[in-house]
Amino acid sequence: MTAGTVFLLRLALWLLPLVLGYLAGRSWGRPRVVSGLLAAALAAGLLIKPFPLGWLAAAAGFLGGVPLGSKR
């Protein structure tokens, strides 16, 4: 593997909890979807080396995706 390939794989691994957390936040109101996506985000967050950083990325993505206003 080249250095560029390793970099892209690590970048994808770092972004995965953030993206899954964001998708869980956007699916607010559907409890089964939210719980599944959050579980996947937290599991992916365990793979990131500085341990709590992956879970913080998942939480940041979730909070960024939760709708704040009412949907009308």
Side-chain angles (χ1 to χ4, degrees), residues 2-34:
T2 64
T5 306
V6 171
F7 172 75
L8 287 177
L9 287 174
R10 288 188 123 187
L11 182 65
L13 181 65
W14 272 75
L15 291 178
L16 187 61
L18 185 72
V19 170
L20 289 173
Y22 178 78
L23 290 175
R26 292 305 300 166
S27 63
W28 188 257
R30 296 173 287 231
R32 289 175 56 186
V33 176
V34 171

